Amino acid sequence: ESGELAGVASEHPVVPELDEEMLWEHEQVVEGLMSVATILPLRFGSSVEHAETLVAMLAEPREEFSAALERVRGAVEISVRAEVAAGPREDPPQRPSTGTAYLLQRAEEEQRERDAAERVHRPLAALARGCVAPASTRDPHQFKAAYLVEESGIEAFGNRVGELNAGLEGVRVSSTGPWPPYSFVAEGSA
């Protein structure tokens, strides 16, 4: 403990080999803490050398920790993913006849994907306290974002995800959570 702040860590004589079982144990501890206090979770595998190091980490940027705790107090993280189906395809597929036609076709596909992402993001952001901007993925047909949702608004948020999934043609929307607010620990993330 350091004043009104406290840190929780497990002690290991040597740095353990990280595996799936340890990941789930970590998650159980984090979720258990989340049920009794406002937390700023560290990513799985984060480490400090000694308990004193952890206490020192809490003591120095006290105002930052307090601001971060206020930012996430009473809220959880909900992760949302949307997959945009590829546009209509001709059978057999026709290759654009010119480079210009190809670029116009790609621009149209990219605009359709951006529009679909916006149709998912905007109504969900309206129900959230904050969001981490949609992350780009390697797959241009995929949208991912994390939303900081009031605990009292989890059901409404989930219902809205379901409505979007049912109502947006060519877009499959899903969510996971509630999770500890991993994406909202850093300043500027909400």
Side-chain angles (χ1 to χ4, degrees), residues 37-102:
T38 300
I39 64 167
L40 298 174
L42 292 177
R43 297 270 178 214
F44 173 67
S46 300
S47 65
V48 293
E49 254 185 83
H50 306 286
E52 296 79 23
T53 307
L54 182 56
V55 171
M57 284 174 55
L58 295 172
E60 289 187 26
R62 185 171 304 282
E63 295 81 27
E64 290 175 36
F65 279 123
S66 295
L69 286 166
E70 282 308 310
R71 188 170 50 251
V72 301
R73 188 176 312 283
V76 295
E77 180 172 325
I78 304 287
S79 178
V80 174
R81 176 179 297 212
E83 293 184 38
V84 181
R89 298 284 182 211
E90 299 169 352
D91 194 25
Q94 297 270 325
R95 296 180 86 179
S97 58
T98 65
T100 301
Y102 170 79

Side-chain angles (χ1 to χ4, degrees), residues 84-87 89 106-119 139-143 171:
V84 181
R89 298 284 182 211
R106 280 297 305 139
E108 186 177 301
E109 288 174 11
E110 289 172 4
Q111 184 62 49
R112 188 174 52 78
E113 291 160 1
R114 282 192 300 274
D115 290 347
E118 188 63 22
R119 287 192 316 268
D139 182 350
H141 303 292
Q142 216 174 61
F143 160 89
V171 182

Side-chain angles (χ1 to χ4, degrees), residues 76 78-80 123-124 127-128 147 149-166 173-178:
V76 295
I78 304 287
S79 178
V80 174
L124 295 178
L127 296 175
Y147 297 87
V149 176
E150 298 283 343
E151 290 173 346
S152 62
I154 294 170
E155 185 176 348
F157 192 90
N159 290 341
R160 189 64 176 125
V161 168
E163 291 166 3
L164 291 168
N165 187 50
V173 185
S174 61
S175 65
T176 61

Side-chain angles (χ1 to χ4, degrees), residues 167-187:
L168 293 176
E169 187 177 330
V171 182
R172 198 174 110 234
V173 185
S174 61
S175 65
T176 61
W179 301 109
Y182 285 103
S183 299
F184 300 92
V185 170
E187 188 175 355

